[in-house]
Every structure is written in structure tokens, then in C-alpha cells.
Amino acid sequence: VRFAGTHLLVDVLNGTRLDDIDHIEQTFRRCIEVSGATLLHIHLHHFTPNGGVSGVAVLSESHISIHSWPEYGYAALDLFMCGHAKPHLAIEVLREAFEPDEIIVKEILRGQEAATQMKLAA
Amino acid sequence: VRFAGTHLLVDVLNGTRLDDIDHIEQTFRRCIEVSGATLLHIHLHHFTPNGGVSGVAVLSESHISIHSWPEYGYAALDLFMCGHAKPHLAIEVLREAFEPDEIIVKEILRGQEAATQMKLAA
């Protein structure tokens, strides 16, 4: 395995519109666009009674997901993209869309550890 | 925010049947069952020519995803579950399903950092 992709784990703190499913879908589409990725399938689910949204977009380059807890202003997002797509460019889109007090981004290079292990095993 | 969920990032090394979309769907359903989670929506995409599969399952408790590179025997999976679901129980299912040389599991407690930050800010 060579390096398989960049996986950003994104936490949105004290954000707004985290119960607005249409807004979240539009935000996903904008994230995909600015990252240079290709959408294959999108699905969002609206929970009651808290208005939380769980959504996923399957991309040619992997996926995006969101799980929101509007009652806490909190959302956990994943932006996982391989190839030439640039998930970092989507962070600014999330900042504009949800106007959070803070965004925490953790970057994980998927497949890198695997490559190291297999090299050692070879 | 209180603690929002357990997110397992799982790397499968030198696994088999990573191009078998029906097998992957059955494996997802088994993972969900043993974890005590509830399936809301499932979608899998088969890539050509390498036979790789990208799949997501939206759960009441968050999501499961897979992206496989059968030509390298590699797959990157995510098991993200909140509430009472137990994603760790699905690791054994993945081991049986893909018979890898190795599985690397990284555990991230989503929302915990957010909770700490907001406490400090309060």
C-alpha cells in the first residue's frame, strides 16, 4: 500500500444551523466542489426530537460525513479524500456555513502505518 | 457537549475479498448486529477496473464506512458509534470476514476535546 488518503477529523464547537438539513446538504456539495472531489451518492437523515443530522457523501475519492448535536452546538465531521482532492480547502467552507466559536481539525494519513508495517514485514 | 461517541479507525492489511461487494455488505450488516447498532441506510459503490469498494452505512448511532484497495490487500474502515453501541465487538467480525495478516485499530473519543475546550471557555 502506498499512502491511501488524507482523513480530517473535524469537530465544530458552538456552531449554528446544525439542525438545518438542507443547509448541511448544500454545505456538503460546496465542500466537495472546493476540494475538487466527485460526488457519487449523498444521504442525510434528520433525527427527532433534537433536530440532529447524520449525513454521508460517498465520493470517488472516499467520503464526507457529519453527525450533529444541535442542542450542544456540536458536530463531528469527517473529510476523507484520496488522490488529488484537497480536503483542507473545505475547512473554510465549514467555518462560513456553521459560524462556530472553534473548529478542531485532526489529520490522519490513512494507509501510511500500513505501508510501514508491510515494509517491515517484507 | 458530553462525550459524543467512539470512533474506531481500522486499517486492514493483506486482507482478502476486498473486491467482493456482496461480502462487504453482509460484513457491514454483521458488524452492526454484533455492535448492537441500528441501520438506517446503506450504500456501496464498486469501482472499476481495480474492484475497490467504497461503502457507508448510516446508523442511528453514527456510521460505518469502508474504502478498499484490493490490489494492495488494504482497506480503511471507520466504525463511529455513540450511545450504547459497542463498535469494538465488530473488530472480530472484520477479522473473520477479510482474514487479514493484521488489523490496526486507532480509537478516538469524538467530542471529548470539544467538551474540555468549552469547559475552559465557560
Side-chain angles (χ1 to χ4, degrees):
Chain A
V1 187
R2 297 180 324 159
F3 164 57
T6 302
H7 190 160
L8 303 182
L9 287 86
V10 182
D11 282 1
V12 161
L13 273 60
N14 285 331
T16 58
R17 304 187 72 181
L18 294 172
D19 58 349
D20 183 341
I21 194 167
D22 294 331
H23 179 65
I24 291 173
E25 178 167 345
Q26 288 313 311
T27 300
F28 264 27
R29 291 181 185 274
R30 183 93 186 99
C31 284
I32 294 164
E33 192 186 333
V34 301
S35 303
T38 305
L39 178 64
L40 295 174
H41 175 84
I42 190 164
H43 181 84
L44 295 107
H45 182 88
H46 216 166
F47 290 94
T48 49
N50 78 334
V53 173
S54 275
V56 291
V58 181
L59 313 174
S60 293
E61 298 82 4
S62 293
H63 77 269
I64 296 181
S65 64
I66 186 169
H67 304 286
S68 76
W69 284 261
E71 68 274 37
Y72 299 114
Y74 174 74
L77 290 109
D78 288 72
L79 307 170
F80 182 5
M81 298 187 194
C82 58
H84 295 295
K86 295 184 168 61
H88 299 89
L89 298 178
I91 302 298
E92 200 47 42
V93 173
L94 298 177
R95 207 181 295 278
E96 282 170 23
F98 302 123
E99 301 180 320
D101 285 349
E102 193 164 352
I103 290 193
I104 302 172
V105 180
K106 201 171 276 172
E107 176 171 343
I108 295 178
L109 302 181
R110 299 295 294 263
Q112 209 171 50
E113 225 171 313
T116 310
Q117 297 252 353
M118 289 210 268
K119 214 173 187 177
L120 291 174
Chain B
V1 186
R2 295 181 324 159
F3 165 58
T6 302
H7 189 162
L8 304 182
L9 287 85
V10 182
D11 283 2
V12 161
L13 273 61
N14 285 329
T16 59
R17 304 187 73 181
L18 294 172
D19 58 350
D20 184 340
I21 195 168
D22 294 331
H23 179 63
I24 290 173
E25 178 168 347
Q26 287 314 309
T27 300
F28 264 28
R29 290 181 185 274
R30 183 93 187 98
C31 284
I32 295 163
E33 191 187 334
V34 301
S35 303
T38 305
L39 178 63
L40 296 174
H41 175 84
I42 189 165
H43 181 83
L44 295 108
H45 182 89
H46 215 166
F47 290 94
T48 50
N50 77 334
V53 173
S54 275
V56 290
V58 181
L59 312 175
S60 294
E61 298 82 5
S62 293
H63 77 269
I64 297 181
S65 65
I66 186 170
H67 305 287
S68 75
W69 284 261
E71 67 273 37
Y72 298 114
Y74 174 73
L77 289 110
D78 287 72
L79 307 170
F80 182 6
M81 297 186 194
C82 58
H84 295 295
K86 295 184 168 61
H88 299 90
L89 298 178
I91 302 297
E92 200 50 39
V93 173
L94 298 178
R95 207 181 295 277
E96 283 170 23
F98 302 122
E99 300 180 324
D101 286 351
E102 194 164 350
I103 290 192
I104 302 171
V105 181
K106 201 170 277 171
E107 176 170 342
I108 294 179
L109 302 181
R110 299 294 295 263
Q112 209 170 48
E113 227 170 311
T116 309
Q117 296 252 355
M118 289 209 270
K119 213 171 187 178
L120 291 174

